[in-house]
């Protein structure tokens, strides 16, 4: 392949189907979880169920970040401080690929969101509002620990999540309006218009079936975690 041909723009598969489905499923589950918490009452049943779904999705994303498509792997967006500085200065080196998957700022946002959601779900598992809801693992901690994390879940955890979501939406708008970069389209189609030399993510039916198996395993693990053992 000649040097000129590698610079020709083509549609490159960046986000594999499992990553895209994870992204939108997580967004819907988080939205539903927030709304059900605000409604309260019987809707708290769905708040818990959606929380379990978020936990299963997070477990899947953690595993998929190790074995998924090239640009979905953590190895592709764990940037060094030097790479972040080059990005902020607009001085990328050859091979940095800042415009392919997650750029350094986007990577930080993704990792922060995943970590915060994990902490929020984890606190919900041991939360007890002493009124109508108690997490499935509340018996494993003391009442003091449970109450402390219940307070976190309903205050700092909730507002921190809103802050991260707001920053995420603002970043999408900023890149769209100021940098003329569409971040939503590729997360729907999976493809970006990039130089032909950019390697694509694997996204075959075999990898998709493997991802489904992985998701089912994560879901089964969450089910076993939150389902009380029958009395002996």
């Amino acid at each position: 392949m000649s040097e000129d041909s590698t610079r020709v723009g083509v549609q490159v598969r960046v986000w594999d189907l499992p990553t895209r489905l994870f992204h939108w499923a997580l967004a819907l589950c988080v939205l539903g979880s927030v709304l059900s918490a605000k409604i309260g009452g019987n809707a708290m049943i769905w708040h818990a169920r959606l929380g379990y779904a978020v936990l299963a999705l997070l477990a899947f994303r953690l595993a998929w970040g190790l074995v998924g498509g090239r640009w979905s792997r953590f190895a592709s967006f764990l940037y060094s401080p030097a790479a972040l500085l080059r990005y902020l200065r607009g001085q990328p080196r050859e091979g940095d690929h800042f415009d392919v998957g997650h750029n350094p700022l986007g990577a930080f946002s993704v990792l922060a969101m995943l970590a915060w959601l994990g902490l929020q779900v984890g606190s919900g598992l041991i939360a007890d509002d002493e009124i109508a809801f108690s997490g499935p693992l509340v018996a494993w901690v003391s009442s003091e620990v449970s109450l402390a994390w219940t307070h976190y879940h309903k205050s700092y955890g909730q507002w921190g999540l809103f802050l991260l979501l707001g920053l995420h939406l603002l970043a999408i708008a900023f890149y769209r309006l100021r940098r003329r970069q569409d971040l939503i389209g590729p997360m729907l189609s999976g493809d970006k218009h990039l130089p032909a030399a950019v390697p694509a993510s694997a996204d075959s039916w075999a990898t998709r079936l493997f991802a489904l198996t992985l998701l089912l395993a994560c879901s089964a693990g969450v089910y076993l975690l939150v389902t009380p053992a029958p009395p002996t």
Side-chain angles (χ1 to χ4, degrees):
M1 182 181 292
S2 68
E3 182 178 351
D4 290 339
S5 64
T6 62
R7 297 177 180 175
V8 176
V10 296
Q11 292 296 108
V12 177
R13 177 54 49 91
V14 174
W15 303 123
D16 52 61
L17 182 62
T19 298
R20 285 177 278 149
L21 292 178
F22 158 81
H23 180 276
W24 297 113
L26 184 66
L28 290 174
C29 286
V30 169
L31 177 60
S33 183
V34 170
L35 292 177
S36 58
K38 296 303 180 184
I39 295 171
N42 292 333
M44 290 302 294
I45 296 176
W46 282 103
H47 181 74
R49 290 172 179 172
L50 290 168
Y52 303 154
V54 169
L55 182 57
L57 288 169
L58 291 176
F60 166 79
R61 187 62 182 92
L62 181 62
W64 200 241
L66 301 176
V67 300
R70 180 187 180 96
W71 302 108
S72 298
R73 295 188 181 189
F74 297 130
S76 73
F77 59 92
L78 290 177
Y79 294 100
S80 66
L84 173 60
L85 188 59
R86 291 197 303 272
Y87 176 76
L88 294 175
R89 289 176 173 176
Q91 300 173 339
R93 293 178 181 174
E94 184 177 357
D96 273 338
H97 296 310
F98 290 153
D99 295 329
V100 181
H102 295 301
N103 63 52
L105 288 180
F108 176 78
S109 174
V110 167
L111 295 174
M113 181 72 73
L114 295 178
W116 199 274
L117 280 172
L119 191 59
Q120 186 69 352
V121 172
S123 63
L125 294 177
I126 58 174
D128 184 359
D129 64 5
E130 299 185 308
I131 300 174
F133 177 81
S134 60
L137 303 184
V138 69
W140 292 85
V141 299
S142 67
S143 59
E144 291 80 7
V145 170
S146 176
L147 289 175
W149 280 105
T150 301
H151 175 70
Y152 168 86
H153 187 82
K154 299 170 68 174
S155 56
Y156 303 115
Q158 177 182 210
W159 291 110
L161 178 59
F162 292 161
L163 175 62
L164 288 173
L165 290 173
L167 290 174
H168 185 67
L169 295 175
L170 285 175
I172 292 174
F174 172 80
Y175 278 92
R176 179 65 177 178
L177 299 175
R178 294 296 299 273
R179 296 198 173 185
R180 299 294 187 266
Q181 294 182 22
D182 180 15
L183 301 182
I184 295 179
M187 193 55 72
L188 291 170
S189 68
D191 300 331
K192 282 188 177 182
H193 196 72
L194 299 165
V198 174
S201 287
D203 193 21
S204 66
W205 284 108
T207 61
R208 294 172 181 179
L209 180 60
F210 174 64
L212 177 60
T213 304
L214 194 60
L215 177 61
L216 292 175
C218 292
S219 300
V222 171
Y223 175 81
L224 293 175
L225 175 68
V226 303
T227 303
T232 57

